[in-house]
């Protein structure tokens, strides 16, 4: 098994609970505004990430001068827009529709990886991307 597979599976298991929990928190009586919910939940992310960096002895400050930090900053900006929009959509719509639409980022990220990063496009990947698009369409229009 590739070393990234367990982390990928843990990510899926953990992230699968985000949408339902956010939908409950941001809708109905005593709803927390989605932007507030984003701030609170992502504060936990920041604290956890800093704790992992410190615990593992990584040099956070030393990497701030890296020429690649611009990519990290760009990713952070896009992450902020994506999460704020996702949480707002969850506050307004059903998890069973919002989450599959949001999940098309997997398709777009795959296409960007292939087109811009030179990753290989196999028949299996192409079919998987097509099925992902079809699945999102079927779930979000039902």
């Amino acid at each position: 098994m590739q070393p990234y597979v367990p982390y990928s599976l843990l990510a899926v298991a953990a992230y699968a609970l985000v949408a339902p929990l956010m939908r409950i928190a941001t809708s109905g009586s005593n709803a927390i505004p989605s932007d507030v919910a984003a701030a609170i939940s992502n504060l936990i992310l920041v604290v956890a990430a800093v704790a992992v960096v410190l615990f593992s002895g990584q040099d956070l400050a030393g990497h701030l001068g890296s020429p690649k930090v611009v990519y990290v900053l760009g990713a952070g900006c896009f992450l902020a827009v994506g999460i704020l929009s996702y949480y707002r959509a969850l506050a307004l719509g059903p998890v069973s529709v919002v989450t599959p639409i949001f999940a098309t980022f997997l398709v777009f990220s795959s296409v960007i990886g292939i087109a811009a990063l030179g990753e290989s496009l196999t028949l299996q990947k192409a079919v998987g991307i097509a099925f992902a698009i079809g699945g999102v369409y079927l779930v979000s229009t039902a």
Side-chain angles (χ1 to χ4, degrees):
M1 177 183 305
Q2 296 293 331
Y4 54 81
V5 172
Y7 288 108
S8 299
L9 295 173
L10 179 59
V12 167
Y15 213 76
L17 297 172
V18 172
L21 292 172
M22 275 300 156
R23 175 67 178 157
I24 293 167
T26 60
S27 63
S29 62
N30 300 317
I32 297 173
S34 62
D35 299 328
V36 173
I40 294 168
S41 64
N42 283 282
L43 179 61
I44 294 168
L45 169 62
V46 169
V47 170
V50 169
V52 168
V53 167
L54 294 175
F55 181 76
S56 63
Q58 297 176 64
D59 181 19
L60 178 66
H63 290 288
L64 294 177
S66 168
K68 291 193 173 187
V69 77
V70 67
Y71 297 106
V72 175
L73 295 172
C77 290
F78 286 113
L79 179 63
V81 170
I83 292 298
L84 289 169
S85 300
Y86 180 45
Y87 286 10
R88 179 64 52 92
L90 287 169
L92 300 173
V95 170
S96 62
V97 175
V98 171
T99 300
I101 292 171
F102 172 74
T104 58
F105 82 86
L106 301 168
V107 169
F108 292 112
S109 293
S110 295
V111 170
I112 291 168
I114 292 163
L117 301 178
E119 296 177 2
S120 64
L121 174 61
T122 63
L123 177 60
Q124 182 175 338
K125 283 183 186 177
V127 170
I129 289 169
F131 278 143
I133 293 168
V136 168
Y137 174 77
L138 291 173
V139 172
S140 64
T141 59

Coordinates of all heavy atoms in Angstrom, one line a residue, residues 11-54:
A11 N -8.7 11.1 5.7 CA -9.2 12.4 5.3 C -10.7 12.3 4.8 O -11.6 13.1 5.2 CB -8.4 13.0 4.2
V12 N -11.0 11.2 4.1 CA -12.3 11.0 3.6 C -13.3 10.7 4.8 O -14.4 11.3 4.9 CB -12.4 9.8 2.6 CG1 -13.8 9.3 2.4 CG2 -11.7 10.1 1.3
A13 N -12.8 9.9 5.7 CA -13.7 9.6 6.9 C -14.0 10.8 7.7 O -15.1 11.0 8.1 CB -13.0 8.5 7.7
A14 N -13.0 11.6 7.9 CA -13.2 12.8 8.7 C -14.0 13.9 8.0 O -14.9 14.5 8.5 CB -11.8 13.4 9.1
Y15 N -13.6 14.1 6.7 CA -14.3 15.1 5.9 C -15.8 14.8 5.6 O -16.6 15.6 5.4 CB -13.6 15.4 4.6 CG -13.7 16.8 4.2 CD1 -12.9 17.8 4.9 CD2 -14.5 17.3 3.2 CE1 -13.0 19.1 4.6 CE2 -14.6 18.6 2.9 CZ -13.9 19.5 3.5 OH -14.0 20.9 3.2
A16 N -16.1 13.5 5.6 CA -17.5 13.1 5.4 C -18.4 13.6 6.5 O -19.6 13.8 6.2 CB -17.6 11.6 5.3
L17 N -17.9 13.9 7.7 CA -18.7 14.4 8.8 C -18.8 15.9 8.8 O -19.7 16.4 9.5 CB -18.2 13.9 10.1 CG -18.2 12.4 10.3 CD1 -17.4 12.0 11.5 CD2 -19.6 11.9 10.3
V18 N -18.0 16.6 8.0 CA -18.0 18.1 8.0 C -19.4 18.6 7.5 O -20.0 19.4 8.2 CB -16.8 18.6 7.2 CG1 -17.0 20.2 7.1 CG2 -15.5 18.3 7.9
A19 N -19.8 18.2 6.4 CA -21.0 18.7 5.8 C -22.2 18.5 6.7 O -23.0 19.5 6.9 CB -21.2 18.2 4.4
P20 N -22.5 17.3 7.1 CA -23.7 17.1 8.0 C -23.6 18.0 9.3 O -24.6 18.6 9.7 CB -23.7 15.6 8.3 CG -22.9 15.0 7.3 CD -21.9 16.0 6.8
L21 N -22.4 18.0 9.9 CA -22.3 18.8 11.1 C -22.5 20.3 10.9 O -23.2 21.0 11.6 CB -21.0 18.5 11.8 CG -20.8 17.1 12.4 CD1 -19.3 16.9 12.8 CD2 -21.7 16.8 13.5
M22 N -21.9 20.8 9.8 CA -22.1 22.2 9.4 C -23.6 22.5 9.1 O -24.0 23.6 9.4 CB -21.2 22.6 8.3 CG -19.8 23.0 8.7 SD -19.9 24.4 9.9 CE -18.4 24.1 10.7
R23 N -24.2 21.6 8.4 CA -25.6 21.8 8.0 C -26.5 22.0 9.3 O -27.3 22.9 9.4 CB -26.1 20.7 7.1 CG -27.6 20.7 6.8 CD -27.9 21.9 5.9 NE -29.4 21.9 5.6 CZ -30.1 22.9 5.3 NH1 -29.5 24.1 5.1 NH2 -31.4 22.8 5.0
I24 N -26.2 21.1 10.3 CA -27.0 21.2 11.5 C -26.7 22.5 12.2 O -27.6 23.1 12.7 CB -26.6 19.9 12.4 CG1 -27.1 18.7 11.8 CG2 -27.2 20.1 13.8 CD1 -26.6 17.4 12.4
A25 N -25.4 22.8 12.3 CA -25.0 24.0 13.0 C -25.5 25.3 12.4 O -25.8 26.3 13.1 CB -23.5 24.1 13.1
T26 N -25.6 25.4 11.1 CA -25.9 26.6 10.4 C -27.3 26.8 9.9 O -27.6 27.7 9.1 CB -24.9 26.8 9.2 OG1 -25.1 25.7 8.2 CG2 -23.5 26.9 9.6
S27 N -28.2 25.9 10.2 CA -29.6 26.0 9.8 C -30.5 25.7 10.9 O -30.1 25.2 12.0 CB -29.8 25.0 8.6 OG -29.7 23.7 9.0
G28 N -31.8 26.1 10.7 CA -32.8 25.8 11.7 C -32.7 26.8 12.9 O -32.1 27.9 12.8
S29 N -33.4 26.4 14.0 CA -33.4 27.3 15.1 C -32.0 27.4 15.8 O -31.2 26.4 15.8 CB -34.4 26.9 16.2 OG -34.1 25.6 16.7
N30 N -31.7 28.6 16.3 CA -30.3 28.8 16.9 C -29.2 28.6 15.9 O -28.1 28.2 16.4 CB -30.1 28.0 18.2 CG -31.2 28.2 19.2 OD1 -31.5 29.4 19.5 ND2 -31.7 27.2 19.8
A31 N -29.4 28.8 14.7 CA -28.4 28.6 13.7 C -27.2 29.6 13.9 O -27.4 30.7 14.2 CB -28.9 28.8 12.3
I32 N -26.0 29.1 13.7 CA -24.8 29.9 13.7 C -24.6 30.3 12.3 O -24.6 29.5 11.4 CB -23.6 29.0 14.2 CG1 -23.9 28.6 15.7 CG2 -22.3 29.8 14.1 CD1 -22.8 27.6 16.2
P33 N -24.3 31.6 12.1 CA -24.0 32.1 10.7 C -22.9 31.3 10.1 O -21.9 31.0 10.8 CB -23.7 33.6 10.9 CG -24.3 34.0 12.2 CD -24.3 32.7 13.1
S34 N -23.0 31.0 8.8 CA -21.9 30.2 8.2 C -20.5 30.8 8.3 O -19.6 30.0 8.4 CB -22.3 29.9 6.8 OG -22.4 31.1 6.0
D35 N -20.4 32.1 8.2 CA -19.1 32.7 8.3 C -18.5 32.5 9.7 O -17.3 32.3 9.9 CB -19.2 34.2 8.0 CG -19.7 34.4 6.6 OD1 -19.4 33.6 5.7 OD2 -20.3 35.4 6.3
V36 N -19.4 32.6 10.7 CA -18.9 32.4 12.1 C -18.5 30.9 12.3 O -17.5 30.6 12.9 CB -20.0 32.8 13.1 CG1 -19.6 32.4 14.6 CG2 -20.3 34.3 13.0
A37 N -19.3 30.0 11.7 CA -19.0 28.6 11.8 C -17.7 28.3 11.1 O -16.9 27.5 11.6 CB -20.1 27.8 11.2
A38 N -17.4 29.0 10.0 CA -16.1 28.8 9.3 C -15.0 29.3 10.1 O -13.9 28.6 10.2 CB -16.2 29.5 8.0
A39 N -15.2 30.4 10.8 CA -14.1 31.0 11.6 C -13.8 30.0 12.8 O -12.6 29.7 13.1 CB -14.5 32.3 12.1
I40 N -14.8 29.5 13.4 CA -14.6 28.6 14.6 C -13.9 27.3 14.1 O -12.9 26.9 14.7 CB -15.9 28.4 15.3 CG1 -16.5 29.6 15.9 CG2 -15.8 27.3 16.4 CD1 -17.9 29.5 16.4
S41 N -14.5 26.7 13.1 CA -14.0 25.4 12.7 C -12.6 25.5 12.1 O -11.7 24.6 12.4 CB -14.9 24.7 11.7 OG -15.0 25.5 10.5
N42 N -12.3 26.6 11.4 CA -11.0 26.7 10.9 C -9.9 27.2 11.9 O -8.7 27.0 11.7 CB -11.0 27.6 9.6 CG -11.5 26.8 8.4 OD1 -10.8 26.0 7.8 ND2 -12.8 27.0 8.2
L43 N -10.4 27.8 13.0 CA -9.5 28.1 14.1 C -9.0 26.8 14.7 O -7.8 26.7 15.0 CB -10.2 28.9 15.2 CG -9.4 29.3 16.4 CD1 -8.2 30.1 16.0 CD2 -10.2 30.0 17.4
I44 N -9.8 25.8 14.8 CA -9.4 24.5 15.2 C -8.4 23.9 14.3 O -7.4 23.3 14.7 CB -10.6 23.5 15.4 CG1 -11.5 24.0 16.5 CG2 -10.2 22.1 15.7 CD1 -12.9 23.4 16.6
L45 N -8.6 24.1 13.0 CA -7.6 23.6 12.0 C -6.3 24.3 12.2 O -5.2 23.6 12.2 CB -8.1 23.9 10.6 CG -7.1 23.7 9.4 CD1 -6.7 22.2 9.4 CD2 -7.7 24.1 8.1
V46 N -6.3 25.6 12.4 CA -5.0 26.3 12.5 C -4.3 25.9 13.8 O -3.1 25.6 13.8 CB -5.3 27.9 12.6 CG1 -4.0 28.6 13.0 CG2 -5.7 28.3 11.2
V47 N -5.0 25.7 14.9 CA -4.4 25.3 16.2 C -3.8 23.9 16.0 O -2.7 23.6 16.4 CB -5.4 25.3 17.3 CG1 -4.9 24.7 18.6 CG2 -5.8 26.8 17.6
A48 N -4.6 23.0 15.3 CA -4.1 21.6 15.1 C -2.9 21.6 14.2 O -1.9 20.9 14.5 CB -5.2 20.8 14.6
A49 N -2.9 22.4 13.2 CA -1.7 22.4 12.2 C -0.5 22.9 12.9 O 0.6 22.4 12.8 CB -2.1 23.2 11.0
V50 N -0.6 24.0 13.7 CA 0.5 24.6 14.4 C 1.0 23.6 15.4 O 2.3 23.4 15.6 CB 0.2 25.9 15.1 CG1 1.2 26.4 16.0 CG2 -0.1 27.0 14.0
A51 N 0.1 22.9 16.1 CA 0.6 21.9 17.1 C 1.4 20.8 16.4 O 2.4 20.3 16.9 CB -0.6 21.3 17.8
V52 N 0.9 20.3 15.3 CA 1.6 19.2 14.5 C 3.0 19.7 14.1 O 4.0 19.0 14.2 CB 0.8 18.7 13.3 CG1 1.7 17.9 12.4 CG2 -0.4 18.0 13.8
V53 N 3.1 21.0 13.6 CA 4.4 21.6 13.2 C 5.3 21.6 14.4 O 6.5 21.2 14.3 CB 4.2 22.9 12.5 CG1 5.5 23.7 12.4 CG2 3.5 22.8 11.2
L54 N 4.8 22.1 15.5 CA 5.7 22.3 16.7 C 6.1 20.9 17.2 O 7.3 20.7 17.5 CB 5.0 23.1 17.7 CG 4.7 24.6 17.4 CD1 3.9 25.2 18.5 CD2 6.0 25.3 17.2

